[in-house]
Amino acid sequence: MPHLAVNEVRAKYGAHEVLRGINLTIEKGEIAALIGPSGSGKSTVLRALVGLTPITSGGVDIAGQSINYKSAAAVRGARDRMAIVFQQYNLFQNMTVMRNVTLAPTKIKGRAKGEVEAEAARLLDLVGLAHKHDAYPDQLSGGQQQRVAIARALALKPQILLLDEVTSALDPELVTEVLDTIRRLASEGMTMIIVSHEMAFVREVANKVVFMDSGEIIETGSPKEMFDNPKTERARDFFGKILRH
Ligand code: ADP
Ligand code: MG
């Protein structure tokens, strides 16, 4: 049984159907990369998983249990299991790095401060920011802020981490440090769904590459299959465009 199963999921914005029957499975420890042209629905897949975009039909199972997105409690449960990190990291500017990471576990989850801070220290170490506990976001580079955002997501102990173009807003010299953090999570066995335009990175780190276009999954395969020998015309066309430069 896959850890996550997305079954025939559809979603729309107004009359515009942007997910048109998505089927996807993720095993524990697997790293799936969602790729495809802008507007193909990659972000909407991640948003639908955590209940930010309503699903109009189809369903999602996690650990064999169906998520009832109509229930606020079930959506909260889904967000405990799947944490999402966006391109715009949205840290609280008036709080230290440590406070940003510990806020949700202490205030929302009501967990003990000491225990949460000890865990946060480990997470900040994991993302390479052990020396920045007391810094404020505006004292950090974009890459450092994004790594705080990743630590903040991990502080909720998700089973699956969803990363939506987390390096796209960064200056090129800051991309590597964030990719290094994701590599490190991969080596720790974190299950992840990654939306990324960093194709060399996707090729290196993903177990499964999922190519989307116009709200559909067109083709899925190993990085080698997908990059070296895509079967569909649309995937070939996409790779032809992005890998040429
Ligand atoms: P991707 O992440 O692959 O670039 P998105 O999932 O963001 O694609 O978008 C899929 C489609 O949904 C696009 O046509 C986009 O214009 C549309 N869309 C995304 N967000 C909204 C929104 N909040 N309101 C209306 N349409 C949206
Ligand atoms: Mg997107």
Side-chain angles (χ1 to χ4, degrees), residues 38-39 41-44 87 164-165 195 197:
S38 178
K42 306 178 299 292
S43 295
T44 307
Q87 181 177 328
D164 192 358
E165 296 198 29
V195 175
H197 295 297

Side-chain angles (χ1 to χ4, degrees), residues 37-218:
S38 178
S40 56
K42 306 178 299 292
S43 295
T44 307
V45 169
L46 301 189
R47 293 172 57 84
L49 287 175
V50 295
L52 288 171
T53 298
I55 288 173
T56 47
S57 70
V60 177
D61 296 347
I62 189 158
Q65 278 192 317
S66 168
I67 300 170
N68 174 10
Y69 287 103
K70 299 210 164 25
S71 147
V75 169
R76 281 196 299 275
R79 287 179 194 167
D80 282 346
R81 289 168 153 197
M82 293 179 278
I84 188 163
V85 182
F86 299 102
Q87 181 177 328
Q88 295 303 338
Y89 19 86
N90 298 322
L91 299 178
F92 296 109
Q93 295 297 320
N94 59 333
M95 293 180 195
T96 63
V97 163
M98 180 53 93
R99 192 81 187 110
N100 265 282
V101 176
T102 58
L103 186 70
T106 54
K107 290 285 171 213
I108 299 172
K109 298 289 156 206
R111 295 179 48 211
K113 190 163 172 242
E115 174 197 307
V116 171
E117 284 187 350
E119 268 173 28
R122 189 190 78 78
L123 292 171
L124 287 168
D125 191 30
L126 178 74
V127 302
L129 292 172
H131 55 302
K132 294 289 186 189
H133 291 189
D134 299 323
Y136 284 84
D138 68 359
Q139 298 169 317
L140 302 178
S141 72
Q144 289 172 328
Q145 291 191 55
Q146 188 56 285
R147 287 183 283 143
V148 175
I150 292 172
R152 179 176 61 177
L154 293 171
L156 293 165
K157 303 191 188 213
Q159 296 170 353
I160 307 179
L161 189 62
L162 311 176
L163 302 175
D164 192 358
E165 296 198 29
V166 293
T167 62
S168 295
L170 301 177
D171 290 332
E173 74 273 20
L174 303 178
V175 168
T176 314
E177 59 189 52
V178 174
L179 296 184
D180 281 344
T181 290
I182 302 170
R183 275 190 192 95
R184 212 156 162 193
L185 295 174
S187 73
E188 290 208 341
M190 189 77 212
T191 309
M192 292 187 267
I193 306 180
I194 300 175
V195 175
S196 179
H197 295 297
E198 299 285 336
M199 289 301 151
F201 179 70
V202 163
R203 182 170 187 141
E204 170 203 326
V205 80
N207 311 110
K208 182 190 267 179
V209 177
V210 178
F211 171 67
M212 288 186 67
D213 196 8
S214 305
E216 293 178 311
I217 293 177
I218 307 299

